[in-house]
């Protein structure tokens, strides 16, 4: 066998390209074109803007109020226009002033606004007459609120200033002379069940200590999964997701 100079090369493992949560959610909802202009309001760390780029959009804009996040986004993602602003002035920023958008996205933002109707008005000014914008907000009728009341994560002040029911959101949209074009089924999960229970039972200090234990964190996750499964079975969506048009 010493005379047999065989060499074996290991086959490289195929790396699975996992599609992100947002990519899978929107890929079949949007009419993708490199000519369409899109805006993500409250873009956070920029992953969704990057997903839009992977879908085939070229004219992508994202803004957030956190300047440090925007700086990181500008370093991490190329050929996407990121800018910092606040919700009072973003529509007049140099990067987007006098521009109209085909798609505008408002994910988990409207519930933070001091005046939700004013934010909708600003979005409307930026939207093309044929455009669409997408709203996602926590449902004010979800199971966690029904059970934990003010101790629900969704109710935690000062993060969520306004809670929306479907009817309430639809009234707000109609008030601004827009309409719900499509109600998008939503199976997104709201976490924080055990944390809310710890607030309710006044054991939050203990909870923070328990969370340091790996096994407790597994238990914590399991409890969340059980309650989220119950929510799904009861058809109590944790989030409202609408496509809005003129």
């Amino acid at each position: 066998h010493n005379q047999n100079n065989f060499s074996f090369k290991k086959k490289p493992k195929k790396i699975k390209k996992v599609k992100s949560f947002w990519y899978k959610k929107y890929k079949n909802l949007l009419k993708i074109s490199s000519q369409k202009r899109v805006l993500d309001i409250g873009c956070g760390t920029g992953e969704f803007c990057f997903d839009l780029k992977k879908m085939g959009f070229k004219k992508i804009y994202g803004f957030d109020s956190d300047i440090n996040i925007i700086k990181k986004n500008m370093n991490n993602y190329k050929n996407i226009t990121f800018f910092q602003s606040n919700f009072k002035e973003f529509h007049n920023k140099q990067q987007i002033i006098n521009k109209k958008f085909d798609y505008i996205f408002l994910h988990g933002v409207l519930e933070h606004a001091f005046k939700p109707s004013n934010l909708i008005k600003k979005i409307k000014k930026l939207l093309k007459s044929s455009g669409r914008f997408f709203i996602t907000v926590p449902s004010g009728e979800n199971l966690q609120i029904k059970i934990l009341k003010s101790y629900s994560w969704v109710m935690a002040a000062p993060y969520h200033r306004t809670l929306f029911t479907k009817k309430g959101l639809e009234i707000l949209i109609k008030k601004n002379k827009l309409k719900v074009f499509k109600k998008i089924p939503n199976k997104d999960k709201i976490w924080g069940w055990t944390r809310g229970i710890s607030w309710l039972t006044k054991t939050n200090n203990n909870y923070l200590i328990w969370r340091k234990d790996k096994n407790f964190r597994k238990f914590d996750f399991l409890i969340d999964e059980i309650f989220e499964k119950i929510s799904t079975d009861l058809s109590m969506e944790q989030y409202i997701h609408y496509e809005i048009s003129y």
Side-chain angles (χ1 to χ4, degrees):
H1 65 276
N2 291 331
Q3 295 175 349
N4 297 331
N5 296 318
F6 295 120
S7 64
F8 298 94
K9 288 184 179 179
K10 287 185 177 180
K11 288 184 177 180
K13 287 183 179 179
K14 289 184 178 179
I15 299 172
K16 275 189 175 183
K17 291 184 178 180
V18 180
K19 296 288 191 303
S20 80
F21 166 82
W22 290 114
Y23 186 99
K24 288 187 281 189
K25 183 179 280 287
Y26 276 107
K27 184 68 170 70
N28 297 318
L29 281 175
L30 307 175
K31 293 180 180 177
I32 296 162
S33 166
S34 61
Q35 298 305 308
K36 289 184 183 291
R37 189 178 287 123
V38 298
L39 171 65
D40 186 17
I41 295 175
C43 64
T45 51
E47 287 95 341
F48 180 59
C49 288
F50 185 60
D51 282 336
L52 291 168
K53 183 179 177 182
K54 286 191 288 186
M55 289 178 205
F57 293 102
K58 301 291 184 187
K59 300 175 182 179
I60 305 165
Y61 297 76
F63 103 83
D64 200 274
S65 58
D66 189 325
I67 186 62
N68 294 318
I69 284 178
I70 291 300
K71 285 178 179 177
K72 285 180 182 177
N73 290 351
M74 291 170 78
N75 289 328
N76 293 337
Y77 305 113
K78 304 304 177 186
N79 301 316
I80 298 174
T81 303
F82 290 106
F83 62 98
Q84 186 270 340
S85 184
N86 56 53
F87 293 111
K88 288 183 180 178
E89 300 170 354
F90 73 93
H91 59 300
N92 287 324
K93 293 292 282 188
Q94 181 186 352
Q95 292 86 345
I96 63 170
I97 196 166
N98 298 324
K99 288 183 171 66
K100 293 285 187 177
F101 290 85
D102 297 278
Y103 293 121
I104 297 176
F105 303 92
L106 198 65
H107 297 143
V109 172
L110 194 64
E111 67 273 19
H112 298 273
F114 283 104
K115 295 181 178 179
S117 190
N118 286 355
L119 180 54
I120 298 292
K121 285 183 174 71
K122 289 180 174 71
I123 291 170
K124 190 178 175 183
K125 288 178 182 177
L126 295 169
L127 192 67
K128 287 184 179 180
S129 58
S130 60
R132 300 278 190 272
F133 86 92
F134 295 83
I135 294 178
T136 305
V137 293
S139 170
E141 299 171 300
N142 70 54
L143 185 63
Q144 196 175 107
I145 292 176
K146 296 283 186 188
I147 294 175
L148 296 179
K149 311 295 183 189
S150 61
Y151 295 99
S152 164
W153 170 82
V154 182
M155 302 271 286
Y159 309 111
H160 296 162
R161 294 184 172 90
T162 307
L163 288 177
F164 295 94
T165 62
K166 288 181 179 179
K167 184 178 179 181
L169 184 57
E170 287 163 19
I171 289 170
L172 177 65
I173 291 163
K174 189 176 180 181
K175 179 183 174 183
N176 284 282
K177 298 180 179 176
L178 295 163
K179 64 181 180 182
V180 177
F181 181 78
K182 184 184 291 184
K183 297 179 181 180
I184 302 166
N186 195 293
K187 292 184 179 179
D188 300 352
K189 296 177 180 179
I190 283 182
W191 305 102
W193 281 92
T194 47
R195 171 158 294 218
I197 292 168
S198 76
W199 288 335
L200 177 64
T201 56
K202 295 181 171 52
T203 55
N204 188 48
N205 290 336
N206 300 86
Y207 174 81
L208 295 174
I209 295 168
W210 297 333
R211 279 285 297 172
K212 294 176 183 177
D213 182 85
K214 181 181 176 182
N215 291 323
F216 181 82
R217 289 197 298 273
K218 288 181 180 177
F219 168 76
D220 199 352
F221 180 79
L222 180 62
I223 295 298
D224 276 346
E225 283 284 357
I226 290 169
F227 276 110
E228 291 302 307
K229 176 68 166 59
I230 293 169
S231 300
T232 302
D233 290 347
L234 293 175
S235 298
M236 296 179 73
E237 290 182 336
Q238 304 285 36
Y239 287 88
I240 304 166
H241 193 182
Y242 285 165
E243 180 178 350
I244 312 299
S245 68
Y246 279 97

